[in-house]
Amino acid sequence: MQIKFYQEEEQVPLEMHKVRVVQKLFLRPIEERLQCIKEAGNNTFLLQNKDVFMDMITDSGVNAMSDNQVAAMSIADDSYAGSETCNRLIKAIEEVFGTKYFLPAHQGRACENILAETFVKPGQFTLMNFHFTTTKAHITRMGGSVIELVRPEGLEPNSTEPFKGNFDIPRMKQIIKELGAKNIAFVRIEAGTNLIGGQPVSLENMLEVAQICKENGIMSILDASLLQDNLYFMKTREAMCKDMSIKDIMHKLGEVMDIIYFSARKLSFARGGAIISNNENYILKMKEFIPLYEGFLTYGGMEVRSMEAMAVGLRETLDIEYICQGPQFIQYLVNELDKYGIPVVKPAGGLGAHIDARAILPHIPQSQYPAAALATALYIASGVRGMERGTLSEQRNPDGSERYADMELVRLAMPRRVFTLSQVKYCADRVKWLYDNRELIGGLKWEDEPKVLRFFFGRLQPIGDWQEKLAAKFREDFGESL
């Protein structure tokens, strides 16, 4: 799992795989990158992939599949009903999680929609360590509210707490007492809290949350989309998991959680999603929504070849040599950025490295979206496409006022088995140059603001001509270099 080099200065994460298929990349000149970000409305989601050198906007659906996954896709049973592909996937899920019941969906947010439709009533509350954008949108759409109960350390970028995604247990108990269990739709645990730096949750904390839910008659739900990285951190950071196998941990979660759901675009490196449980009553309540929103019960909106890949990918999750590559590469990038003095969320979590835009750009108020501005500046400086995880990713309050995020982060996601270390070093180098020229970066303002999930397709414009000045400084420092 950890391989040391004889020469101490040469310590780097060692890939436990070989690359046999490559895809050509293009790095456009900075003048073209400046034009591309303008045409994209200063929203990195609207950039065209042909204009991106390193795509670090997400690790969802962009990971490299294994040879066994690709091979499995060739034996898919394309039957509409009674598919053997579905039977093989159910068997894999039972083997990996120890759960009996399975409902298919086309991806994680489809699972969230079904959970919200089934269990959230107007005026109810959902408790979670931290929200995810689509999760919250589905809950509020049904008239519910979200209460976040992450421990205070989770919102401190430089806290050394190894499990910064943990629930604040005393506060959870207090909230349940104040609200009353009947007013709580469910408690959701997000393994690897996305919006606060991919920070993990300990097994001990998950078990305690599940026990509190059981004692109060409240449903416990685990979002396992980022569980793979979380498993790595449990194994390497948590004493109680040291002598447990990955399978032991997953079976324990399958045993104590009422419902588990996940996006296969993250967990298993495939496409699709799943809701799983040992509780037949919960499954029966959700079952009718699958044909209504997704597809028949044997595919649920998924393409069958992806289901075969999911089955193999889930089994590969049990292999520590498969799941260690992502966290180790993220740790390497975080270490490089930290070495350069760049404010970054520590300790390194899963999903990607997270740059602290608020610390880098204190001159930009949150009303001018500093994380989004930094993401556009990074693309201009490097061709690297990162993602804003701050106020832009929030939704406005019911009265139309801005809900300012607890953290203003730029996420540099690390798709698994995709980038080389030289590319990661290039990314760190360009972030360093940007940090040294941070006073040139200005804010953004809305040009076209959607009402729902605005960060996906909204358009902004720079306040002033700071982007042209940044490009000019780059050309001054780098000459003819790309």
Side-chain angles (χ1 to χ4, degrees), residues 227-465:
L227 182 60
Q228 186 175 97
D229 289 350
N230 208 114
L231 289 165
Y232 172 81
F233 294 122
M234 287 171 168
K235 280 290 294 177
T236 57
R237 296 180 184 178
E238 189 170 7
M240 74 177 293
C241 295
K242 182 179 178 182
D243 296 322
M244 297 176 71
S245 69
I246 298 296
K247 189 173 183 177
D248 289 338
I249 298 171
M250 296 183 84
H251 274 238
K252 174 57 70 174
L253 293 173
E255 174 189 330
V256 302
M257 295 295 164
D258 290 318
I259 295 173
I260 297 174
Y261 76 93
F262 60 88
S263 168
R265 297 176 71 87
K266 294 180 181 291
L267 185 67
S268 80
F269 299 173
R271 302 286 191 279
I275 302 173
I276 61 178
S277 179
N278 280 318
N279 188 308
E280 186 178 14
N281 289 331
Y282 290 146
I283 292 293
L284 289 175
K285 288 180 179 179
M286 293 181 283
K287 192 174 184 177
E288 64 189 65
F289 290 111
I290 301 298
L292 181 64
Y293 288 124
E294 298 297 305
F296 192 63
L297 294 170
T298 55
Y299 72 96
M302 284 186 278
E303 195 269 338
V304 288
R305 288 175 296 179
S306 295
M307 295 173 70
E308 294 284 1
M310 187 197 302
V312 174
L314 285 172
R315 289 191 173 99
E316 290 177 345
T317 298
L318 302 178
D319 186 341
I320 191 68
E321 290 186 354
Y322 266 103
I323 69 175
C324 71
Q325 189 267 341
Q328 288 181 357
F329 262 51
I330 293 165
Q331 178 72 66
Y332 180 80
L333 178 55
V334 167
N335 288 347
E336 289 291 292
L337 296 173
D338 188 47
K339 181 175 69 178
Y340 291 147
I342 297 163
V344 64
V345 174
K346 295 179 292 186
L351 206 163
H354 292 76
I355 304 170
D356 186 354
R358 184 183 292 176
I360 293 175
L361 305 173
H363 59 283
I364 301 179
Q366 284 189 277
S367 60
Q368 296 180 13
Y369 311 110
L374 185 59
T376 66
L378 178 60
Y379 173 74
I380 293 169
S382 65
V384 173
R385 171 160 64 170
M387 181 181 180
E388 188 271 0
R389 297 274 67 172
T391 296
L392 198 74
S393 293
E394 295 290 343
Q395 58 189 50
R396 288 186 180 269
N397 295 316
D399 64 1
S401 61
E402 193 71 85
R403 184 199 184 282
Y404 293 118
D406 295 300
M407 304 176 80
E408 294 285 347
L409 306 177
V410 172
R411 183 178 77 194
L412 299 176
M414 192 71 69
R416 306 309 189 253
R417 306 180 293 224
V418 170
F419 296 129
T420 65
L421 277 179
S422 66
Q423 291 165 340
V424 174
K425 288 182 72 69
Y426 165 83
C427 174
D429 178 81
R430 290 301 188 260
V431 174
K432 168 60 173 170
W433 178 85
L434 198 60
Y435 179 66
D436 289 345
N437 292 278
R438 58 194 180 277
E439 74 283 351
L440 295 176
I441 303 173
L444 300 173
K445 61 182 179 181
W446 282 109
E447 180 179 84
D448 178 19
E449 180 181 0
K451 291 182 179 180
V452 179
L453 298 178
R454 59 186 184 174
F455 67 93
F456 273 138
F457 49 92
R459 302 180 69 85
L460 302 102
Q461 56 184 239
I463 299 172
D465 61 350

Side-chain angles (χ1 to χ4, degrees), residues 116-170:
E117 287 269 2
T118 308
F119 298 114
V120 178
K121 297 179 177 62
Q124 284 190 316
F125 298 88
T126 56
L127 313 184
M128 52 189 74
N129 46 352
F130 211 79
H131 78 279
F132 184 61
T133 47
T134 56
T135 322
K136 185 175 182 179
H138 283 301
I139 290 167
T140 56
R141 181 179 60 84
M142 298 304 298
S145 300
V146 170
I147 297 178
E148 295 166 347
L149 297 172
V150 71
R151 290 176 55 177
E153 297 92 334
L155 304 179
E156 297 174 10
N158 291 309
S159 167
T160 58
E161 168 62 41
F163 292 99
K164 291 164 70 172
N166 277 359
F167 269 76
D168 185 330
I169 296 296

